Amino acid sequence: MSVQILDGRPVAAAIRGELRAEGARLAARVGHPPAIAVVQMGRDPAADRYVRAIRRAFEEVDLGFQLRALSREAPVAELEAALRDLNADARISGILVQMPLPPHVPPDLVPQTLSPEKDVDGIHPLNAGRLAQGDQRAFVPATPLGGLELLRGYNVPIAGRHAVVVGRSNVVGKPMALLLLHQHATVTIAHSRTSDLPALTRQADILVAATGRPGLIRAGMVRHGAIVVDFGVNVVDGKVVGDVAFEEVAAVAGAITPVPGGTGPMTNVMLIGNTLLAARRAHGAD
Ligand code: NDP
């Protein structure tokens, strides 16, 4: 049996086409294109690259993009003021705060200030709670939502299967586990304190890696024919690699997402989808 490569690019492209059309309809109705604002504190090459990619993704589908760049040393009040300003700006439908923030920013400042209606990356506790409860009004973090849409794009059956999610962050692992649970998978969440990780991952019909540990998932940890979803984005010797040792795992898996080109291309498309959802709701079109 040869492995199926779950390429995110064609799936992302198809969804992008639909979103462009929807964006144009909304722009005609409201009088301006829906827009996202990205708030960035300080500079670093990886964050700059990510912000540029978001800008490109939004401009490609004729949606608005605004960057609020603050210095790394900016007082907390400045960040708060920027968020309140964007919350109140009717031309901005979605707000994304580039993480991590500098250490002088209290961890609960953004969740407490950001409007949950514009929280298109699902970091607000109201959205996280809604996701946990299976409430359709939740904004779901873009990366795990993209992972789920990728599985859907390839018609991977989820209901009744055992999904093991390795990683429990609030932005990737935990929401992915909840999304799979809502699709009626039986879900196990593993993390750095899990004992005998290989014994657990070998039980997975769907194995999800979201650890930031390059090559953590080896062939011996994967059941023959399993579906393997790799969210990892790690730079090793100047090359982007996932959390899964791709070559050896591809030899045993039934299907696998490549890195790059698997879950990555889906993320910004989901961010666009969430921004349009926020715009529809703000204008009573949902
Ligand atoms: P975090 O560092 O926040 O979380 C990593 C998780 O992995 C933690 O829950 C940690 O456990 C667990 N973990 C770490 N080491 C091990 C181990 N040896 N065995 C088992 N579990 C382990 O990372 P994120 O969730 O933010 O990101 C995960 C990956 O996804 C990264 O590579 C990141 O770059 C990537 N990413 C990809 C995106 C995309 O678009 N595809 C977007 C965002 C992130 P514990 O909780 O016990 O510490």
Side-chain angles (χ1 to χ4, degrees), residues 50 95-96 118-123 139-143 171 271 274:
Y50 184 48
I95 303 170
L96 180 133
K118 295 192 177 187
D119 170 33
V120 288
D121 208 20
I123 63 163
F139 282 110
V140 179
T143 296
V171 286
L271 204 53
N274 280 350

Side-chain angles (χ1 to χ4, degrees), residues 92-249:
I92 296 295
S93 301
I95 303 170
L96 180 133
V97 181
Q98 179 67 39
M99 300 290 177
L101 289 166
H104 69 280
V105 178
D108 56 353
L109 182 125
V110 172
Q112 279 179 5
T113 315
L114 178 64
S115 161
E117 282 76 36
K118 295 192 177 187
D119 170 33
V120 288
D121 208 20
I123 63 163
H124 195 287
L126 182 65
N127 286 312
R130 283 177 170 163
L131 173 61
Q133 294 187 343
D135 181 332
Q136 298 301 316
R137 290 171 299 172
F139 282 110
V140 179
T143 296
L145 188 57
L148 180 71
E149 288 302 322
L150 185 55
L151 292 177
R152 284 212 183 116
Y154 283 93
N155 298 313
V156 172
I158 298 173
R161 303 184 100 185
H162 184 195
V164 175
V165 179
V166 189
R168 56 174 166 181
S169 75
N170 288 332
V171 286
V172 192
K174 219 179 280 169
M176 186 64 186
L178 287 166
L179 287 170
L180 291 164
L181 181 65
H182 297 326
Q183 295 301 313
H184 312 294
T186 301
V187 181
T188 305
I189 304 178
H191 45 77
S192 67
R193 312 278 186 96
T194 297
S195 57
D196 203 351
L197 183 65
L200 190 65
T201 55
R202 277 195 294 270
Q203 296 174 34
D205 302 311
I206 299 172
L207 177 58
V208 176
T211 67
R213 300 283 177 272
L216 174 75
I217 306 295
R218 308 291 307 264
M221 299 167 73
V222 179
R223 173 191 252 180
H224 187 78
I227 310 295
V228 180
V229 177
D230 190 352
F231 284 115
V233 181
N234 313 291
V235 180
V236 177
D237 300 331
K239 252 184 78 184
V240 176
V241 299
D243 295 348
V244 175
F246 182 84
E247 297 296 335
E248 60 178 64
V249 172

